[in-house]
Amino acid sequence: VFRTVDLRYDIVDENTRNVIYTVEEDKRLNVSLLFGYGSYELLRGGIELEQQNVLGRAHHQRLRAIQSFKATSFDYLYTMPEFFGERVDIFASAFYLRRDEVSFTREEFGGGAGARTYLDAIRSDFSARYDYQILSANRINAIEGPPEAAVSAIVLDLQHDRRDSPLYPRRGYRTFGSLELASEYLGGEVNYIRVDTQGSYHQPLDPGRWLHFGFSHGVTFTLGTSREDLPFNKRFFPGGDSSVRGFQYGEAAPRNSAGQIVGAETYTLGNL
């Protein structure tokens, strides 16, 4: 809500002080133009709209739209801070994604709602949300799971970040874990558990050199067979200039006997 908040104490008498706050309100609306280039999606551009202090209640909403040579995406997020006490924020989101992958065309849309808080005991961010998604995989020759499915899931995220910078870290570490539990009992069509874990460590060697190490692991479980209960879009497709160089985005994934990329049910990746 505020760009700056200052305070001073005015002396009334020996035992009394008046507390005076001087505040500068922040901008209500921010408009940002987005530009980028990647080896797979090539040129991309977009726009991001942010509105602060919605309804005068310190609420926040953000709308982002991005177009590239390979993908079209929209996402919307509405946040209500300190909805429960002073520690728990609640949020609602919606998204749309269409991207030409190496072996298929991905189309996804949906939304959800949840809550997040900061856990002092372990100095970590925690969130829990309910998601409902419609997933579709087109232009695929090898079926290793339902090409279309409605997914209803509970998602739990936990992040512990002790890096000195989120963009160019030179020291510290970060760990992240996500648990996605999808079930027909929640209103969807499939039943699976998807676990994602990530970690990174950064250490200076001397004034001009740094050691960076990254690790990520993903695994899926299904009550029945993966061909029936794990949507094709939820399989893992590693690869790309930011993970396994020499492969296009999603190209470092298993192939069937015909050489078609079919994705993985589990993967482990390390970077040094």
Side-chain angles (χ1 to χ4, degrees):
V1 177
F2 301 110
R3 183 186 301 273
T4 61
V5 179
D6 296 317
L7 67 86
R8 73 175 190 271
Y9 300 99
D10 288 352
I11 299 176
V12 178
D13 55 42
E14 183 179 352
N15 300 312
T16 308
R17 303 289 187 273
N18 282 339
V19 182
I20 308 299
Y21 289 95
T22 304
V23 299
E24 179 187 358
E25 191 172 359
D26 203 358
K27 291 173 59 179
R28 288 291 186 100
L29 183 65
N30 291 302
V31 180
S32 303
L33 298 179
L34 311 175
F35 298 97
Y37 178 85
S39 62
Y40 181 71
E41 292 193 9
L42 304 177
L43 287 174
R44 57 179 176 266
I47 187 170
E48 181 179 80
L49 304 176
E50 279 191 292
Q51 186 180 9
Q52 311 275 14
N53 198 20
V54 181
L55 304 176
R57 302 293 299 172
H59 296 183
H60 175 268
Q61 61 180 344
R62 184 198 69 204
L63 174 65
R64 181 189 294 134
I66 300 175
Q67 178 66 56
S68 73
F69 279 88
K70 297 285 188 178
T72 301
S73 66
F74 302 90
D75 68 82
Y76 174 79
L77 177 65
Y78 192 97
T79 303
M80 290 178 278
E82 300 182 358
F83 192 83
F84 297 107
E86 297 181 354
R87 303 304 302 272
V88 180
D89 304 342
I90 67 171
F91 59 89
S93 61
F95 78 97
Y96 171 81
L97 171 66
R98 186 188 187 280
R99 180 163 57 201
D100 293 328
E101 309 285 5
V102 174
S103 61
F104 69 102
T105 299
R106 179 191 302 271
E107 189 167 9
E108 305 174 353
F109 64 91
R116 60 171 172 256
T117 188
Y118 184 77
L119 304 177
D120 288 320
I122 56 176
R123 295 187 292 182
S124 301
D125 294 298
F126 174 75
S127 69
R129 70 181 189 271
Y130 169 82
D131 274 352
Y132 187 83
Q133 305 174 23
I134 303 296
L135 308 180
S136 177
N138 303 311
R139 193 175 55 84
I140 57 177
N141 297 317
I143 303 299
E144 296 294 329
E148 297 182 357
V151 175
S152 185
I154 299 293
V155 183
L156 306 178
D157 292 331
L158 182 67
Q159 176 175 255
H160 181 72
D161 194 343
R162 307 299 296 170
R163 298 173 298 175
D164 59 350
S165 167
L167 293 179
Y168 301 103
R170 300 293 178 86
R171 183 187 299 273
Y173 66 94
R174 171 185 178 267
T175 58
F176 172 80
S178 179
L179 172 65
E180 180 179 358
L181 173 62
S183 172
E184 296 176 346
Y185 295 104
L186 297 173
E189 300 174 342
V190 289
N191 303 279
Y192 66 85
I193 297 174
R194 193 176 193 262
V195 180
D196 283 286
T197 58
Q198 300 174 14
S200 65
Y201 177 76
H202 313 272
Q203 176 64 41
L205 297 178
D206 57 43
R209 291 181 296 180
W210 295 266
L211 176 68
H212 304 279
F213 175 73
F215 174 84
S216 58
H217 176 63
V219 62
T220 58
F221 306 94
T222 57
L223 297 179
T225 66
S226 59
R227 286 178 173 267
E228 296 176 350
D229 273 330
L230 183 62
F232 192 82
N233 295 38
K234 289 295 182 177
R235 300 176 72 85
F236 298 108
F237 295 89
D241 52 0
S242 62
S243 60
V244 186
R245 300 188 182 188
F247 292 88
Q248 292 191 84
Y249 184 86
E251 197 177 44
R255 300 170 182 263
N256 62 12
S257 57
Q260 300 161 334
I261 298 176
V262 297
E265 295 178 29
T266 184
Y267 83 99
T268 301
L269 173 66
N271 295 103
L272 180 64

